[in-house]
Amino acid sequence: MSSNSQKRRQITGGDLRKNAPSPSHYGRKRGSDGQLRSQGDPQPSLGAKGEHRHTDNRSESFTTPETVRPLSRCKDWGSEVEESEMRMSVNRDMQRYRRRILTAEFSSRERKVSSGSCDSRDSASPTELETDENVLLRRQKQINYGKNTLAYDRYIKEVPKHLRQSGVHPRTPNKFRKYSRRSWDQQIKMWKVKLHTWDPPAQDGDLQAIEQIDLGEVMDIELDPDGETCKTSAGDEMDCFSVTPRKMKKTEELPQV
Amino acid sequence: MDSVCVEYKLQTLDAGAQNLLKAALKDPRAVDLEKVATAIVDLSLKDSSFCKEAGRICYALIQEEAKDANSTVFRRNLLTRLQQEFTVRKETRKRSVSQWVCLVNFICTIFDYLKVNNQPMAALVQPVYDCLFRLVQPDALTNEEEVDCLAMQLHRIGEQLERAEAGRMDELFYALRDGFLLQERLSSMARLLLLEVLEFRAGGWKLSDTAQQYYYSEVAN
């Protein structure tokens, strides 16, 4: 084990892991100028042994590999603002989603038949929803990375929602449903792989790579949150594309590997 | 693009800066936004009269960027640059009080202009307070420039700041009262400014009519 009990770890942006548990523990570990404040207060639960912990309370042996990210509590202003903006939008999404579920439940009860067209994603009752803000935020970020691609842009232009077939067309994972971490990460992975089908044709391999990298690094906040939670087909102004030639189109557009 | 120049009062800037800002306002994606952010911050630190325009320009750029590309690159760059300046504010004040005052002015302008979902940016609340607390220190109170800055910011954003965090505003005003009562070598102008601010806050962030008359009317002698 490393001698983290002796050394005071230098907190740098790239080092630290995101604080997963207890979002209520929001101590100001840094002054607003980024200088660490003296940590007088005992950390809850894990910190009792007196060895110096990461400020997010995990010992060195914590092994779940996560993407190394700046510490969520003590960020630069840019990230803080983006995160708080995302939190607000995630909360709004949640309200909307809850309303949508309740409406669906209510109308299905009225009809006294299980609505055959009921989206399996919507059948979760409100108590089974994922409500942990940190989880929702993380999921939203992952979704944003996927939506922030040329492939996604081309996909939504090409296939309007009412023409999407399950199994054939990728579907954005529903962040409000309860899933294990592994299951969710896998869904995201598969979704992104499927989206690659709509990658722009690689005329110049470099060009495509550059564009994709560039977009990937920009952490966009969705101004128009998940279409699946609220858009009705009336709101879609997309033209109908004929279904048949799509397979041929896709073949053409696959990047030359 | 002359209308842009006029709208944002860009004529006072040098040609390079003018062109950069004009291009950015026309199409944020066509320019290096980091450069633009740096330019805006640097200009604001030099010239406090540019601050207000700078705030409006930043607002416009952020709107443009969000609308066209649904991205927040400029805002991120701006805040990062601002945070850098904030981190070295002690040295800045030592080097030049005027620049320090410009910095405070600009940070507060950004706080005022750039809202997120109609709320002020939470990330800036503590930094702004930190700046104001610095201005209420004894060595700052003896500088009219700094007292004037303090008064101006409190007028502009005091109410919003208090709403964001009331406790610290209370503390700030304890210090302000102390300064008013106990600080030696306070110029009468400084005393006037502090007293007015005290009344302003006491009146719920507005001045009563009689106070308004006292402080702002010409007294016919």
Side-chain angles (χ1 to χ4, degrees), chain A residues 28 36 38 63 67 77-78 94 107 136 162 175 178 181 183 204:
Chain A
R28 284 181 64 205
L36 269 180
S38 58
T63 52
T67 325
W77 295 352
M94 174 124 78
S107 53
L136 289 174
H162 61 276
K175 63 180 178 276
K178 282 280 192 195
R181 180 65 190 272
S183 163
D204 175 3

Side-chain angles (χ1 to χ4, degrees), chain A residues 66-236:
Chain A
E66 284 190 38
T67 325
V68 173
R69 263 186 298 246
L71 184 61
S72 65
R73 300 287 180 244
C74 317
K75 279 184 190 157
D76 59 287
W77 295 352
S79 309
E80 267 193 67
V81 170
E82 278 172 9
E83 186 173 299
S84 97
E85 200 177 36
M86 213 191 297
R87 259 179 226 272
M88 293 187 216
S89 93
V90 160
N91 282 319
R92 266 201 317 262
D93 280 358
M94 174 124 78
Q95 309 305 328
R96 238 187 298 219
Y97 188 68
R98 280 204 157 111
R99 277 198 298 272
R100 185 179 171 200
I101 290 193
L102 288 173
T103 326
E105 269 193 5
F106 181 68
S107 53
S108 76
R109 233 181 292 135
E110 272 203 321
R111 275 182 265 131
K112 288 199 165 135
V113 195
S114 70
S115 67
S117 62
C118 181
D119 189 343
S120 67
R121 295 177 300 158
D122 288 352
S123 58
S125 73
T127 51
E128 288 161 25
L129 291 184
E130 179 60 69
T131 53
D132 182 335
E133 207 180 54
N134 288 321
V135 172
L136 289 174
L137 267 183
R138 177 172 31 86
R139 292 182 176 182
Q140 184 63 59
K141 278 183 205 169
Q142 289 171 293
I143 290 174
N144 287 346
Y145 280 128
K147 288 193 172 180
N148 194 13
T149 55
L150 286 177
Y152 184 77
D153 274 350
R154 300 176 86 233
Y155 169 52
I156 56 177
K157 281 198 188 100
E158 185 180 305
V159 187
K161 274 228 280 265
H162 61 276
L163 286 187
R164 289 189 200 163
Q165 302 158 350
S166 76
V168 175
H169 296 122
R171 220 189 208 174
T172 309
N174 180 346
K175 63 180 178 276
F176 292 115
R177 296 206 94 203
K178 282 280 192 195
Y179 295 113
S180 71
R181 180 65 190 272
R182 273 184 53 148
S183 163
W184 172 265
D185 286 350
Q186 189 65 9
Q187 288 181 57
I188 287 283
K189 216 182 293 185
M190 307 261 295
W191 172 64
K192 284 164 106 172
V193 164
K194 272 188 166 176
L195 282 176
H196 277 304
T197 318
W198 279 267
D199 278 348
Q203 297 131 353
D204 175 3
D206 281 350
L207 182 65
Q208 183 190 33
I210 287 171
E211 281 178 33
Q212 294 208 332
I213 289 171
D214 197 67
L215 290 175
E217 274 173 351
V218 172
M219 252 248 318
D220 278 4
I221 308 303
E222 278 216 293
L223 290 184
D224 184 13
D226 288 337
E228 82 249 26
T229 57
C230 69
K231 266 210 186 122
T232 61
S233 51
D236 276 350

Side-chain angles (χ1 to χ4, degrees), chain B residues 190-208:
Chain B
R191 251 190 282 272
L192 182 74
L193 289 167
L194 292 176
L195 186 63
E196 196 266 8
V197 157
L198 281 163
E199 284 200 64
F200 181 67
R201 188 200 180 204
W205 302 103
K206 52 177 175 283
L207 223 45
S208 70

